Amino acid sequence: MIFAAPLTGLCDSSRCPQATHHLVHRSVWQTTADNGVVLLANPRIPPAEKARLRAEHERSMRVLGSQKGRMTWH
């Protein structure tokens, strides 16, 4: 199967070494990280869901920390 356009739903900028992150996107990543903290602290969230949330939170923190790391904010 040949696709004429990128499959943007499959792209994860936090895992791409060539990704750039623009300041306009930072608030979205920060909101995701903040929501993750709240959800992980909720005792009503099942353990399996917490594992998924933890991975998502770590990914958000990795992107937010990328200002000092391999990815850059422009």
Side-chain angles (χ1 to χ4, degrees), residues 37-57:
V37 170
V38 171
L39 291 169
L40 287 168
N42 186 335
R44 298 182 73 189
I45 304 291
E49 180 64 9
K50 279 194 178 188
R52 188 194 66 77
L53 289 168
R54 191 171 294 107
E56 184 176 323
H57 181 278

Side-chain angles (χ1 to χ4, degrees), residues 26-49:
R26 193 174 200 297
S27 65
V28 175
W29 286 102
Q30 186 63 58
T31 299
T32 300
D34 294 344
N35 289 343
V37 170
V38 171
L39 291 169
L40 287 168
N42 186 335
R44 298 182 73 189
I45 304 291
E49 180 64 9

Side-chain angles (χ1 to χ4, degrees), residues 5 17 21 23 36-37 40 44-45 52 60-61 64 68 73:
H21 295 90
L23 287 176
V37 170
L40 287 168
R44 298 182 73 189
I45 304 291
R52 188 194 66 77
S60 299
M61 295 305 295
L64 289 169
K68 303 170 204 141
W73 293 94

Side-chain angles (χ1 to χ4, degrees), residues 16-20 70-71:
C16 180
Q18 297 185 20
T20 59
R70 65 181 172 86
M71 293 177 270

